[in-house]
Amino acid sequence: MEPKVEYSGGLLLPRGHNSLTHGVTRAVPGSVHALALGGGYAVGPRDGRTVYFGRNRPLVHVCLGEDDQQVSRRHGELTHHKGRWWLRNTGRRPIRMPGSQWLFADEGAIPLVEGYTPVHVPGSRDREHLLEIYVTGADGDQPRSRHNADTDPPRPYALTPDEKVMLVALGRNYLLREPNPKPLTWKEAALRLAELQPEAGWTAKKLERRVSVVRDRLSRRGVHGLTREEVGEPVGNALNDNLLRELVRSTALTPKDLELLDWGA
């Protein structure tokens, strides 16, 4: 049986504590706050210090999904190492990170950025359990408001005209704002491209090769979820789904681009 956790040097956050979305009161630079529905825990930075979260309240600092047996007794941990807080999954089920990325138990720990990070642990019957994490910045204060500052514009990825046309064909459903879009099949997209550009010799294989080049390029730029190693087997539509979501998010593709294929938005 695992030993009970110790709370030395930390602060328990009560049930009903305010959400961390708006930051935290001034704290020691580099501290971490972790909060779930039943309360949370805050502690300052120290190399090797660990905050546990999971279902079994006596074994963790932050109890998450206490009544849900799909959540592991100790589902994960936050560890301070070399000046940063790191998140590791130690549970049976993956942890969903922002951007619909998944952290699995057989992966290493990932570093947390300063500020707010929400993570979700999937439970039974479509339940999801939210763990809010807030890492205090170097000044120990909340991020300053920037009410009057200029808005940072999105930075779309550069695509050649041919790349844009083929990705619009593949991502038609995303640009039509469907609630749960899926990429067209290689064959479906290639047929539409062949109608539009009969001289270009579009085939399903050619389209697959060209899209793979774009995925590789964006993967080298740091976009996650564009390689088989990152998404795991079975791959299914995951690679193209991640690619198209990233292109739409960055405004590299917009609904207006449907006009390139004579598809109305």
Side-chain angles (χ1 to χ4, degrees):
M1 183 176 178
E2 294 181 83
K4 292 185 178 182
V5 297
E6 296 183 1
Y7 294 94
S8 57
L11 174 68
L12 285 171
L13 306 178
R15 179 188 293 270
H17 188 281
N18 290 337
S19 169
L20 304 182
T21 52
H22 301 296
V24 300
T25 56
R26 189 168 184 84
V28 174
S31 336
V32 69
H33 288 62
L35 181 67
L37 190 63
Y41 187 62
V43 71
R46 190 176 70 191
D47 211 43
R49 180 168 273 166
T50 300
V51 176
Y52 300 101
F53 61 91
R55 173 168 51 90
N56 193 330
R57 188 176 292 274
L59 300 182
V60 296
H61 298 92
V62 183
C63 188
L64 184 77
E66 190 166 15
D67 64 342
D68 192 336
Q69 289 180 245
Q70 292 292 316
V71 178
S72 295
R73 294 176 179 85
R74 272 191 176 175
H75 205 101
E77 59 190 36
L78 307 169
T79 301
H80 193 265
H81 179 63
K82 294 186 177 179
R84 300 190 71 173
W85 285 97
W86 298 73
L87 170 65
R88 187 164 74 94
N89 184 353
T90 60
R92 296 276 183 95
R93 307 196 73 182
I95 296 173
R96 183 164 64 84
M97 304 293 296
S100 297
Q101 297 180 12
W102 293 94
L103 178 63
F104 293 85
D106 57 357
E107 296 181 273
I110 61 171
L112 293 169
V113 297
E114 292 182 359
Y116 181 72
T117 301
V119 302
H120 295 82
V121 175
S124 57
R125 299 184 300 278
D126 297 325
R127 296 175 67 188
E128 280 201 329
H129 304 280
L130 170 65
L131 178 70
E132 297 184 86
I133 304 170
Y134 194 96
V135 177
T136 308
D139 60 1
D141 210 346
Q142 296 184 24
R144 294 181 177 85
S145 62
R146 301 180 181 274
H147 300 151
N148 298 316
D150 292 338
T151 302
D152 290 335
R155 298 181 179 179
Y157 302 99
L159 300 171
T160 68
D162 279 350
E163 287 174 343
K164 177 166 280 196
V165 168
M166 73 182 186
L167 289 163
V168 170
L170 191 66
R172 171 182 181 271
N173 297 332
Y174 297 78
L175 300 177
L176 287 174
R177 306 181 185 90
E178 292 191 0
N180 294 297
K182 289 182 173 57
L184 266 62
T185 66
W186 298 120
K187 183 178 180 180
E188 290 170 334
L191 285 173
R192 185 66 189 96
L193 290 167
E195 292 174 2
L196 184 73
Q197 300 175 339
E199 74 289 346
W202 286 106
T203 65
K205 285 295 184 184
K206 177 178 178 178
L207 178 60
E208 186 175 357
R209 288 195 301 271
R210 295 288 302 276
V211 171
S212 177
V213 169
V214 178
R215 283 203 313 264
D216 289 345
R217 189 166 75 233
L218 267 63
S219 179
R220 289 195 298 273
R221 290 188 57 178
V223 179
H224 183 81
L226 302 184
T227 67
R228 287 180 173 270
E229 292 75 18
E230 290 170 337
V231 304
E233 299 291 346
V235 172
N237 284 327
L239 298 179
N240 285 341
D241 179 66
N242 291 338
L243 171 66
L244 292 165
R245 290 182 186 278
E246 177 66 16
L247 292 174
V248 170
R249 185 199 64 79
S250 70
T251 69
L253 297 180
T254 69
K256 185 174 175 58
D257 292 327
L258 290 167
E259 297 174 2
L260 296 172
L261 279 78
D262 296 326
W263 276 328

